[in-house]
Amino acid sequence: MALGLDLDFRRLPALERRELRTGAANQHERGAEGAPEGGAGAEPGLSERERRIAAALAEAAMPPGRFLEGAGAATASRLAGWLGSIPPHLGQGLRAALWAMELAPVPTRLRPLSALPLVERMEVLRGFELSRARPLRALLRAVLTPLRFLHYDRPEMFQHVGCRYELPTVRNEEPRWLAQVTNGREVEEDLEIECEVVVVGTGAGGAAAAYELASRGHAVLLLEEGDYHRRASFTGRPAHAYRDMYRDHGLDMALGNVGIPVFAGRAVGGSTVINSGTCYRAPESTFASWRDGMGLPAELSSAGLLPYYERVERMLQVAPADPLHLGSIGPIVRRGAERLGLRHGPLQRNAPDCDGQGICCFGCPTGAKRSTDVSYVPEALKRGAQLITAARVRTIDIVAGRARGVTAVLGGDTRAGNAGGRARRRRPRLTVRAEAVVVAGGALMTPLLLRRSGACLSSGMLGKNLSIHPASKVMALFDERIDQWKGIPQGYQIDHLADEGVMFEGGSLPFDVAALAIPWTGHRYTELMEQYPYLATFGFMIKDTSRGEVRPGIGGTPLVLYTMNQEDVAKMQRGIELLCEVFLAAGARRVLPLVAGCDEVNGPGDLERLRAQPIKAGDLDIAAFHPLGTCRIGVDPRSSCLGPDHQAHDVAGLYVCDGSAIPSSLGVNPQMTIMAMSLRAAELLSERLSG
């Protein structure tokens, strides 16, 4: 879910400002580091007036259909409970958005939204929906996204459209290597630990580096901010995954000329736990640009990284997606692509025993997807590494220009159990002394940790150079039943435009997530949701030339800034146009590009109008899954943070092995490249430790 908020509290009347401040104070008293879960015992996240506003919005946006019930007061109550589970500053932003929607009709209709009859409320929302002004559409999306998710995230709604709601709980196994794992939430006293190498983060880069170092006999300690979720945690519920495994509940946004949700994991396994399992080697053209434009050595090339890629592919057991589990969308895309003469086929994945559960992005319940929590991390632990979970690293300890360890805090909830529930206990502190530090917190969090520690600041590039692989989708209705929730959600590809920087990789959506992806309101929205069994979704991403920046945000969260240039907008438009053609060629009844000003493309005339339409970045519905480049490698300390060996230019013994080290957009899913480069960096570090 994503809330794109760009609001000015000063514009709200004095009464509403006071109510917002009161709510903000209540949120603060609940604790910035550990807000309570929604439900029994949680303080209400909305005032009575705000509940009425939310109910009025929900009722107008999601009216009842032929068999789907409409939203209203019950949805608003669920929203009030959910607000207690998200970071306080995001809750405050959502409440501000509610008030902005409430007051929006006053200048023209002389009454707030909640006081208008239902028909007029629908007209107001329809006006926001069809507006070519991006801030108005962003405001509407901000308030409707959680309302829609909470309305549709119920078993009875799934039953109405014939979908499975939840998987049965799987019993966890208890392998011997789990003895190497310490749950930081269960630690009650301060700890001091010595090791050779401390690795911060267990995603693609950190896990691969830890495995390589442990395999070479080094004493390795892995630290992970999130928890170790086992198969019993993977029930297929997006709501649970967003809360437990996504950073900031999946609410991080890149702000600029378009609001873009940027998703990242927060668990043992990092983003590999919540990704699609897609595996590509980076193209040689990308490596050539690194050598020609940045002077990087030949070792960073297709040939130089070949042995590392091969090792990664063996560990992940990479193979083409099984045609038996492609679901209905794979054959549809194949049919359309063949009729258009496009290059296509099953894509490479790291799920050798996949049974097509269709919930890769919310944790694999069968353990078939070889994310690092079931591959590199266990293998590192078997080789003697140790892992502490729920460990939030505050600073890297730098002595005389050399990294000597880290300081972290352990555990989750900071509230004590007194009557008021407001007192806090101090979290246990973890002090790690090490000969080298490997940071692998990802492109959003690594620059924040390095900045807090005073590292990698000399070039002025820390946090800059952000690329994100912007992605979008097209939907289509067919006469045949699709049931897109069945089968591999991202198992097929069209790579015909890969050289132009556009990769088509699928992306089917569960029922409740599809509810967020449709920017419509009112009866036509409900009618489309009732046709979900016949709805197909396919997506693409681009190799972006736009660049952004990550800065420290509220409460330790990343503030992500990103402006999309016109070259990338043109690529996005090209991708949408081609997907429309593919669906039309495959026999779709209705094709829905969901571009502002172009809701449907149902024939050649509509397609020509889409091609002729001057599209701006804010007209597109964009998401991002691969943040890269915020602590990039390079040979020049004036324009990069790390050397080609991944060691910081200005701090000895400090290495960065994650997506932040990748110097540019790859144009393909990055996990294999991050792993391959991290294996290489770990080899170099091992040689220095052993020398």
Side-chain angles (χ1 to χ4, degrees), residues 282 286-287 290 294 296 300 305 309 443 464-467 469 547 626-634 642 646 656-668 670-678:
T286 296
F287 293 125
W290 295 359
M294 306 177 203
L296 286 171
L300 294 169
L305 287 177
Y309 273 130
K464 301 182 185 298
N465 189 51
L466 172 71
S467 64
H469 284 166
R547 291 295 179 267
H626 308 144
L628 303 170
T630 53
C631 190
R632 67 181 176 189
I633 61 174
L642 315 169
H646 290 245
V656 175
C657 293
D658 59 19
S660 71
I662 304 293
S664 75
S665 179
L666 296 177
V668 295
Q671 70 171 338
M672 286 229 309
T673 300
I674 294 170
M675 291 172 178
M677 292 176 64
S678 296

Side-chain angles (χ1 to χ4, degrees), residues 605-623:
D606 291 339
L607 193 57
E608 287 305 313
R609 281 189 288 276
L610 175 62
R611 288 195 178 104
Q613 182 173 324
I615 290 178
K616 299 177 294 186
D619 295 334
L620 302 169
D621 183 21
I622 304 174

Side-chain angles (χ1 to χ4, degrees), residues 419-433:
R422 295 176 183 174
R424 299 174 182 231
R425 64 174 177 84
R426 187 181 71 82
R427 289 187 180 190
R429 182 181 299 273
L430 170 65
T431 303
V432 180
R433 289 187 287 274

Side-chain angles (χ1 to χ4, degrees), residues 196-213:
E196 272 191 283
V197 184
V198 57
V199 179
V200 181
T202 58
Y211 162 80
E212 184 65 23
L213 290 163

Side-chain angles (χ1 to χ4, degrees), residues 23-57:
N26 290 338
Q27 291 278 7
H28 179 71
E29 288 169 354
R30 288 202 294 274
E33 295 183 6
E37 297 297 324
E43 295 182 39
L46 297 173
S47 68
E48 286 303 317
R49 172 75 182 276
E50 288 164 343
R51 287 179 185 240
R52 291 197 300 272
I53 297 170
L57 277 163

